[in-house]
């Protein structure tokens, strides 16, 4: 009997043109328009998909070492303006002011300098992706090794975070290229080639872009609005199903179903199951539209399957709850309020219209607690190339909403007939 009820509700949905237009045609049209209109903005001028945070702890600086370096150079018979040449070729100066400060690199890495006394506390901060520790007398040892045949190469310590491997890899690639640069300069300086020319190289940017290609990618307008419209228009499914159920009450069909021996619980379960199935089909169709029409290469199919199924279960639970509220109030007011107010507010907070985080980080955080916002954020993280683990904090908010909807539907659903 449950399958019969589900089949009946599916037929009612398919025979009505309005639900098909709103659930399928409208999102596809909006996705196409928004993706085309905003492609130039989101695809080229948007923020990078990832930005790593590097802290440099310099246990000394040029000013502190200058007296020692000057004294050493005088012993070697060098003095006066030549000191400035050594200062300009300081590897740390080149790293901070040329490599990391360049326009192409600083959009991927933010730099912060901290004192050595904070090293232990900084290592516990999850937001910091790398810590570069420059030991005392590094510059003096570099000058000795580069220009005066000292075989002892200067050393540095690099600590990388285990929280985000991609951000840590970006920092490691930059520091590794820089280290290779000043290591080569130890030999090339003697051949008259400036260390500055060796350490500054476009290989830094190429390496970052290679890492991003292998890991995270930027989110183009096509992906953003496909996901945004998908999560928003799925919220219209419960109002259609609850509206059909209310019609059955008004036409006395629901009473005849109960007289036929079908329990109210089984009827509510059929609404839940139908809502889930319709949501799954709607999301699959829209995702396939994105793949074959917009040429989107969907990443993380396992994670996407979990997200689609979880969100569909929530839509089914919400359909059961809206049906319950309409049976209790004996009117379509609950569905009208939900469509007119809640869908719009949830879509705004969830980021379906635009990235709400660009307006307010607080609103973005609130949006992540809405079911559609949580699903959208989790999906976009997967499409950036993140691993499956990243979705679970957002899925928790969705599962809480699902459980709440199901429990309220069970408690409030009328166990007897509903008088219209």
């Amino acid at each position: 009997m449950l399958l019969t009820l589900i089949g009946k509700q599916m037929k009612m949905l398919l025979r009505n043109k309005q639900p098909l237009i709103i659930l399928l045609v409208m999102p596809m049209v909006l996705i196409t328009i928004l993706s085309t209109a905003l492609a130039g903005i989101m695809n080229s001028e948007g923020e990078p998909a990832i930005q790593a945070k590097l802290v440099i702890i310099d246990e000394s600086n040029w000013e502190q070492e200058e007296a020692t370096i000057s004294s050493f150079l005088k012993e070697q018979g060098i003095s006066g303006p030549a000191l400035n040449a050594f200062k300009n070729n300081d590897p740390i100066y080149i790293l901070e002011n040329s490599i990391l400060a360049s326009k192409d690199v600083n959009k991927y890495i933010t730099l912060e300098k901290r004192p050595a006394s904070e090293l232990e506390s900084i290592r516990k901060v999850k937001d910091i992706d790398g810590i570069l520790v420059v030991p005392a007398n590094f510059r003096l040892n570099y000058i000795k090794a580069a220009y005066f045949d000292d075989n002892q190469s200067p050393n540095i310590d690099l600590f990388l975070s285990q929280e985000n491997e991609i951000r840590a890899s970006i920092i490691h690639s930059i520091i590794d290229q820089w280290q290779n640069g000043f290591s080569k300069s130890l030999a090339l300086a003697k051949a008259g080639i400036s260390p500055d020319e060796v350490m500054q190289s476009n290989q830094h940017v190429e390496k970052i872009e290679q890492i991003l290609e292998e890991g995270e990618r930027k989110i183009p307008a096509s992906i953003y609005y496909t996901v945004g419209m998908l999560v928003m228009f799925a919220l219209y499914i419960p109002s259609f199903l609850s509206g059909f159920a209310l019609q059955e009450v008004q036409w006395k069909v629901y009473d005849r179903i109960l007289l036929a021996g079908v329990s109210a619980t089984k009827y509510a379960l059929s609404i839940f199951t139908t809502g889930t199935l319709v949501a799954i089909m709607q999301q699959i169709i829209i995702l396939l539209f994105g793949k074959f029409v917009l040429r989107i290469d969907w990443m993380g199919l396992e994670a996407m399957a979990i997200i689609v199924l979880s969100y569909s279960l929530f839509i089914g639970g919400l359909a059961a709850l809206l049906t319950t509220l309409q049976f209790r109030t004996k009117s379509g007011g609950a569905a009208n309020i939900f469509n007119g107010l809640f869908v719009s507010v949830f879509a705004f907070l969830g980021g379906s219209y635009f990235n709400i985080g660009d307006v307010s980080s607080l609103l973005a955080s609130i949006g992540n607690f809405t079911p559609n916002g949580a699903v959208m954020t989790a999906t976009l993280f997967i499409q950036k190339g993140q691993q499956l683990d990243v979705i679970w904090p957002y899925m928790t908010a969705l599962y809480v909403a699902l459980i709440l909807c199901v429990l309220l539907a069970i408690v409030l659903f009328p166990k007897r007939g509903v008088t219209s």
Side-chain angles (χ1 to χ4, degrees):
M1 194 63 187
L2 179 62
L3 293 178
T4 303
L5 290 173
I6 295 171
K8 172 182 65 65
Q9 290 154 3
M10 295 287 277
K11 288 178 182 177
M12 292 179 67
L13 189 65
L14 292 174
R15 288 172 181 172
N16 196 316
K17 294 181 180 179
Q18 184 184 11
L20 295 178
I21 292 173
I22 292 178
L23 297 180
L24 293 176
V25 178
M26 281 186 64
M28 291 180 184
V29 171
L30 286 174
I31 289 167
T32 304
I33 293 173
L34 292 171
S35 298
T36 304
L38 301 177
I41 298 175
M42 295 190 67
N43 297 359
S44 61
E45 298 180 6
E47 292 295 317
I50 186 170
Q51 193 170 50
K53 186 173 182 179
L54 171 66
V55 172
I56 293 182
I57 294 179
D58 196 345
E59 296 182 356
S60 66
N61 54 47
W62 181 267
E63 286 70 24
Q64 291 175 329
E65 292 192 55
E66 187 172 8
T68 306
I69 292 172
S70 179
S71 176
F72 170 76
L73 292 176
K74 286 181 180 179
E75 293 177 2
Q76 306 301 320
I78 300 174
S79 61
L83 185 63
N84 290 329
F86 289 105
K87 181 178 181 179
N88 293 335
N89 289 327
D90 172 18
I92 305 302
Y93 178 86
I94 294 171
L95 175 66
E96 294 177 5
N97 298 282
S98 296
I99 297 174
L100 296 177
S102 69
K103 182 179 179 180
D104 291 328
V105 174
N106 67 11
K107 66 181 179 181
Y108 296 111
I109 298 179
T110 60
L111 175 64
E112 184 179 347
K113 298 192 71 174
R114 302 286 279 273
S117 58
E118 298 183 15
L119 175 59
E120 292 304 319
S121 60
I122 292 174
R123 293 187 66 178
K124 299 176 184 177
V125 179
K126 293 183 178 180
D127 292 339
I128 295 176
D129 304 298
I131 304 171
L132 180 67
V133 179
V134 182
N137 298 322
F138 172 85
R139 294 162 181 83
L140 176 61
N141 292 333
Y142 171 77
I143 290 173
K144 289 180 178 180
Y147 303 99
F148 299 99
D149 295 326
D150 190 320
N151 294 326
Q152 184 176 356
S153 299
N155 295 318
I156 57 170
D157 293 316
L158 177 63
F159 301 95
L160 295 174
S161 170
Q162 302 300 316
E163 296 293 327
N164 189 298
E165 293 182 2
I166 296 176
R167 290 199 295 263
S169 296
I170 288 177
I171 291 176
H172 181 266
S173 70
I174 288 291
I175 300 302
D176 187 54
Q177 291 287 329
W178 167 73
Q179 279 186 290
N180 288 336
F182 82 69
S183 295
K184 292 177 182 177
S185 72
L186 297 177
L188 296 177
K190 300 171 185 177
I193 300 176
S194 170
D196 181 69
E197 296 177 15
V198 179
M199 283 180 269
Q200 294 187 63
S201 169
N202 59 3
Q203 290 181 352
H204 300 110
V205 180
E206 293 173 359
K207 190 68 174 178
I208 290 176
E209 292 175 348
Q210 180 183 347
I211 291 171
L212 290 176
E213 288 175 2
E214 294 173 354
E216 294 199 12
R217 65 174 175 181
K218 293 182 180 180
I219 297 297
S222 58
I223 292 180
Y224 186 90
Y225 283 107
T226 299
V227 177
M229 296 301 105
L230 181 150
V231 298
M232 182 176 78
F233 279 91
L235 293 174
Y236 287 104
I237 295 173
S239 61
F240 285 120
L241 294 179
S242 62
F244 294 150
L246 184 63
Q247 284 182 355
E248 291 186 330
V249 170
Q250 295 169 344
W251 296 343
K252 306 299 182 181
V253 174
Y254 178 67
D255 290 336
R256 291 197 292 270
I257 290 174
L258 295 182
L259 289 173
V262 178
S263 66
T265 301
K266 186 172 290 186
Y267 184 86
L269 181 60
S270 71
I271 296 290
F272 171 82
T273 307
T274 304
T276 301
L277 292 175
V278 172
I280 290 174
M281 289 187 289
Q282 181 203 35
Q283 291 178 82
I284 290 176
I285 291 172
I286 292 176
L287 291 174
L288 289 175
F289 171 81
K291 179 175 179 61
F292 293 109
V293 177
L294 302 178
R295 304 297 181 185
I296 297 174
D297 181 19
W298 296 110
M299 300 174 65
L301 295 183
E302 180 184 357
M304 291 292 290
I306 293 173
I307 293 171
V308 167
L309 179 59
S310 299
Y311 192 46
S312 299
L313 289 171
F314 164 74
I315 295 298
L318 185 59
L321 177 59
L322 272 185
T323 301
T324 300
L325 294 177
Q326 298 210 133
F327 278 15
R328 283 287 181 181
T329 59
K330 304 180 182 66
S331 72
N336 292 334
I337 293 173
F338 181 79
N339 278 352
L341 178 63
F342 283 92
V343 172
S344 299
V345 173
F346 278 17
F348 172 76
L349 292 175
S352 289
Y353 302 136
F354 57 89
N355 187 354
I356 191 67
D358 292 340
V359 177
S360 168
S361 57
L362 175 61
L363 290 178
S365 298
I366 295 172
N368 287 335
F369 286 100
T370 63
N372 56 302
V375 169
M376 185 167 182
T377 303
T379 304
L380 292 180
F381 270 126
I382 293 300
Q383 295 314 307
K384 287 179 180 179
Q386 295 277 11
Q387 299 299 314
L388 177 63
D389 294 346
V390 77
I391 72 171
W392 298 120
Y394 303 100
M395 290 297 98
T396 300
L398 182 65
Y399 295 147
V400 169
L402 166 61
I403 293 171
L404 186 63
C405 287
V406 171
L407 289 178
L408 288 174
I410 292 173
V411 172
L412 299 177
F413 197 89
K415 300 301 185 290
R416 299 178 181 178
V418 180
T419 56
S420 58

